[in-house]
């Protein structure tokens, strides 16, 4: 009877931050993923500011003899980090490793469900949807593709019953969170909620929170929401059935 080959290890690649809440939130999310897949090897690597680094984790996995790795970007949109930074880091991995790069997390109905979970935890109910306008507040990007994706998520989410959904950005793009809140107020929306479309606390999420000071409701970051953990597993599973992505130069 042949033994089934071990499943590829999952390497969750996070951006990293000087804010200690960032790494703590990432690790909480990774614990949720481990709970969903108890037999799966799950590691975390950071691109900057935090340890372990992505390179360090890859070196350790190779030294242990791990043959296959799925590298999963902990990112909500396909912007510079997903298109350039992460592939460049993976190209530096030990040659003995076979690496698949998974897709970024967004867009996904699971993320929309996580956004609604956070809004309900902040005090809203489904019955509030028709009288509530939501500001979908993301970190922002200079990548037009990423900006277009956020706008499309806002349009789709609006169709689920909210009075209005408007995108906003903490950097690089406009409008800012406070401007989107003011616009909804000017249009006569009865209740305004801000839903941060970010995974972990940090500098830009704090800017979103400051911009939400005139809103009625501010939801928490997505963090280790169950829907986000399930989405990580889904992206991992999809990557394991794809052909190996060449990451060598």
């Amino acid at each position: 009877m042949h033994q089934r080959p071990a499943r590829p290890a999952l390497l969750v690649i996070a951006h990293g931050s000087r804010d200690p809440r960032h790494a703590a939130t990432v690790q909480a999310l990774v614990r949720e993923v481990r709970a969903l897949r108890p037999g799966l090897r799950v590691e975390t690597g950071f691109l900057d500011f935090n340890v372990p680094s992505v390179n360090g984790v890859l070196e350790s996995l190779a030294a242990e003899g791990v043959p296959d790795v799925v590298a999963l970007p902990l990112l909500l949109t396909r912007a510079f980090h997903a298109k350039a930074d992460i592939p460049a880091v993976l190209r530096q991995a030990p040659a003995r490793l076979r690496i698949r790069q998974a897709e970024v997390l967004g867009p996904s109905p699971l993320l929309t469900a996580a956004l609604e979970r956070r809004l309900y935890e902040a005090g809203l109910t489904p019955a509030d949807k028709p009288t509530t306008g939501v500001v979908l507040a993301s970190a922002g990007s200079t990548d037009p593709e990423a900006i277009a994706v956020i706008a499309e998520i806002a349009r789709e989410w609006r169709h689920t019953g909210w009075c209005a959904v408007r995108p906003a950005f903490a950097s690089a793009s406009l409008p800012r969170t406070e401007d989107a809140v003011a616009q909804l107020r000017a249009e006569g929306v009865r209740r305004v909620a801000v839903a941060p479309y970010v995974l972990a606390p940090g500098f830009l999420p704090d800017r979103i929170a400051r911009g939400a000071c005139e809103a009625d409701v501010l939801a928490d970051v997505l963090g280790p929401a169950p829907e986000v953990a399930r989405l990580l597993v889904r992206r991992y599973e999809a990557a394991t059935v794809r052909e190996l992505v060449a990451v060598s130069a």
Side-chain angles (χ1 to χ4, degrees):
M1 188 171 180
H2 294 295
Q3 186 175 4
R4 295 180 63 185
R7 304 212 69 191
L10 170 58
L11 172 57
V12 177
I13 300 179
H15 184 276
S17 170
R18 293 186 178 91
D19 189 322
R21 296 174 298 167
H22 175 91
T25 302
V26 170
Q27 297 296 357
L29 174 57
V30 168
R31 285 195 295 272
E32 291 292 321
V33 174
R34 289 189 181 119
L36 289 174
R37 289 292 184 273
L40 179 62
R41 173 81 177 266
V42 186
E43 301 290 345
T44 309
F46 295 91
L47 290 172
D48 207 353
F49 302 118
N50 301 103
V51 291
S53 68
V54 175
N55 280 329
V57 176
L58 291 171
E59 293 282 355
S60 295
L61 290 172
E64 290 180 36
V66 173
D68 295 293
V69 177
V70 169
L72 198 164
L74 199 59
L75 300 169
L76 296 175
T77 56
R78 265 184 52 78
F80 182 78
H81 292 304
K83 295 176 180 178
D85 279 357
I86 290 175
V89 171
L90 296 180
R91 282 194 292 270
Q92 300 169 20
R96 67 180 71 92
L97 286 177
R98 293 188 296 270
I99 302 176
R100 303 166 172 89
Q101 182 175 331
E103 295 295 332
V104 298
L105 299 181
S108 168
L110 283 170
L111 290 175
T112 307
L115 286 165
E116 295 206 344
R117 170 188 291 275
R118 294 303 190 222
L119 285 169
Y120 298 152
E121 289 171 351
L124 294 177
T125 71
D128 293 321
K129 278 188 166 188
T131 56
T132 303
V134 178
V135 176
L136 178 67
S138 76
S141 173
T142 56
D143 189 307
E145 178 186 348
I147 298 303
V149 166
I150 299 298
E152 180 61 24
I153 293 169
R155 283 192 293 270
E156 291 293 325
W157 199 16
R158 161 71 178 81
H159 296 319
T160 67
W162 296 102
C163 171
V165 180
R166 300 289 164 76
F169 307 94
S171 69
S173 307
L174 295 174
R176 294 285 181 259
T177 302
E178 54 269 31
D179 298 327
V181 170
Q183 183 180 15
L184 288 172
R185 289 267 188 239
E187 293 171 7
V189 174
R190 185 185 305 176
R191 184 187 297 105
V192 178
V194 173
Y197 190 61
V198 292
L199 286 164
F203 177 76
L204 293 177
D206 283 350
R207 182 180 286 178
I208 289 171
R210 290 193 299 272
C213 63
E214 296 298 325
D216 300 292
V217 174
L218 171 62
D220 199 359
V221 299
L222 296 172
E227 296 85 358
V228 180
R230 291 205 303 273
L231 181 55
L232 263 70
V233 172
R234 185 174 295 181
R235 292 289 186 258
Y236 168 83
E237 300 286 358
T240 60
V241 299
R242 292 206 321 264
E243 290 296 319
L244 282 174
V245 175
V247 295
S248 57

